[in-house]
Amino acid sequence: LKHGRISMLATMGYITPELTGKFPGFLAPSAGLKFADIPTGLAAVSKVPALGWAQIVAYAGYCELSGPKTRAANTSDYADIVPGDYSFKVLTSSDPAEKDKKLRAELANCRLAMMAI
């Protein structure tokens, strides 16, 4: 599910700038590179400066390493944690049948987003 959710975010990140426009201002002021100059998709890889990619990779690493630990980490602080349970029942349900239906729909959307990206 984790990679599917990331794919859904990536799909929205691909579509949204085309529909709503891009940020005003500069991506790299020293290079004179504006946000509007960056294309969508794989063409953006060669346009973003190396330090920009370093910032993206550093932030992704921070997010991965600073998240809550799971049982695989063998920590007693998070021994009772259930993956995906954030105590937020708006998107899930306490009814097992409805929860199963919603999880299957999310899994189908994840698969579609992975194919789209």
Side-chain angles (χ1 to χ4, degrees):
L1 275 179
K2 182 178 182 180
H3 294 99
R5 289 174 179 165
I6 291 171
S7 295
M8 287 191 283
L9 287 172
T11 303
M12 289 306 300
Y14 190 85
I15 295 170
T16 302
E18 296 295 324
L19 297 176
T20 62
K22 298 180 181 178
F23 290 125
F26 289 89
L27 174 69
S30 61
L33 185 62
K34 294 184 177 184
F35 285 106
D37 298 335
I38 304 297
T40 56
L42 291 175
V45 173
S46 64
K47 302 292 183 194
V48 176
L51 285 176
W53 286 114
Q55 288 177 338
I56 292 169
V57 169
Y59 181 70
Y62 169 76
C63 290
E64 284 290 324
L65 296 175
S66 66
K69 306 297 182 229
T70 61
R71 289 186 186 145
N74 295 324
T75 59
S76 60
D77 295 338
Y78 299 104
D80 61 339
I81 195 169
V82 176
D85 184 17
Y86 300 108
S87 302
F88 185 67
K89 297 293 181 190
V90 174
L91 299 177
T92 63
S93 176
S94 55
D95 178 31
E98 185 178 346
K99 182 178 180 181
D100 185 58
K101 179 183 173 188
K102 288 182 178 185
L103 288 174
R104 289 183 187 278
E106 181 182 16
L107 188 59
N109 289 334
C110 288
R111 290 175 177 156
L112 179 63
M114 285 189 275
M115 292 303 294
I117 288 297

